[in-house]
């Protein structure tokens, strides 16, 4: 072979057991339904951990249910967008899960975005509610809809039922 010839060499990697992660999931259930099933099966297992804090499946499910019931009471139904503006945290997961449980479509807002971008995203999505935390007050001061603070409005959330809400939502509805 001369140095000008193109040489292609196939590299074959062995398939190992630990690399086989493909799973079939029920196509007729939403992710929050699958989460609720897991919460029933393993309520005391750790569901999420961040920054030295953790929540069990039961704790996360109950907190998300409180917020979801309030969202439903405030008029959130399937396909209605709900904005969420939080740093990565346990509150982010509670908020995201509660929006899905209410049937809403979550609109993630990154606190690092410029104010003009955040305003545009809120106006464009027409989200009537924003979930956030009290440290983000300055980012939402001009928002004309309902603002719920996942950290300081706990008393308002805990007045809501703790059971899973019953919402007619399917995998064909908006989630994001």
């Amino acid at each position: 072979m001369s140095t000008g010839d193109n040489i292609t060499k196939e590299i074959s990697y062995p398939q190992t057991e630990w690399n086989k992660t493909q799973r079939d999931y029920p196509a007729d259930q939403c992710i929050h339904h699958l989460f609720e099933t897991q919460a029933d099966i393993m309520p005391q297992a750790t569901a999420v951990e961040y920054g030295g804090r953790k929540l069990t499946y039961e704790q996360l499910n109950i907190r998300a249910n409180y917020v979801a019931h309030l969202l439903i009471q405030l008029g959130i139904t399937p396909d209605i967008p709900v904005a969420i503006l939080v740093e990565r945290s346990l509150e982010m997961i509670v908020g995201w899960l509660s929006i899905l449980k209410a049937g809403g479509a979550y609109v993630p807002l990154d606190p690092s975005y410029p104010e003009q971008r955040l305003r545009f995203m809120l106006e464009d999505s027409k989200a009537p509610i924003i979930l956030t935390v009290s440290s983000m007050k300055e980012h939402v001061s001009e928002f004309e809809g309902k603002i719920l603070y996942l950290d300081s409005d706990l008393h308002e959330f805990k007045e809501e039922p703790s059971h899973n809400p019953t919402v007619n939502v399917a995998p064909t509805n908006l989630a994001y």
Side-chain angles (χ1 to χ4, degrees), residues 4-16:
D5 290 342
N6 286 335
I7 301 172
T8 29
K9 187 177 188 180
E10 280 192 39
I11 299 174
S12 176
Y13 296 100
Q15 184 72 11
T16 59

Side-chain angles (χ1 to χ4, degrees), residues 11-136:
I11 299 174
S12 176
Y13 296 100
Q15 184 72 11
T16 59
E17 286 300 312
W18 56 266
N19 206 23
K20 294 181 181 178
T21 58
Q22 182 176 342
R23 298 284 184 268
D24 292 327
Y25 293 98
D28 62 338
Q29 291 185 351
C30 299
I31 191 157
H32 66 278
H33 295 135
L34 298 172
F35 176 84
E36 291 166 356
T37 299
Q38 190 65 24
D40 287 341
I41 294 170
M42 302 177 62
Q44 298 310 311
T46 299
V48 63
E49 186 172 351
Y50 186 83
R53 297 169 50 209
K54 61 183 173 181
L55 292 172
T56 65
Y57 280 94
E58 181 178 52
Q59 291 168 327
L60 177 54
N61 195 46
I62 288 172
R63 288 184 190 189
N65 287 343
Y66 288 149
V67 180
H69 281 287
L70 182 57
L71 290 173
I72 293 165
Q73 182 183 342
L74 293 171
I76 298 303
T77 58
D79 300 332
I80 293 181
V82 177
I84 182 166
L85 175 71
V86 292
E87 297 282 350
R88 289 187 175 151
S89 61
L90 297 181
E91 288 77 19
M92 174 187 266
I93 303 301
V94 170
W96 168 77
L97 187 57
S98 66
I99 293 167
L100 295 177
K101 284 173 164 275
Y106 73 97
V107 179
L109 302 175
D110 188 327
S112 68
Y113 286 167
E115 295 296 321
Q116 187 176 13
R117 174 78 175 137
L118 292 173
R119 256 192 317 278
F120 170 78
M121 291 175 73
L122 284 168
E123 290 169 10
D124 188 54
S125 70
K126 295 178 179 57
I129 298 173
I130 186 167
L131 298 179
T132 190
V133 290
S134 51
S135 63
M136 298 287 159

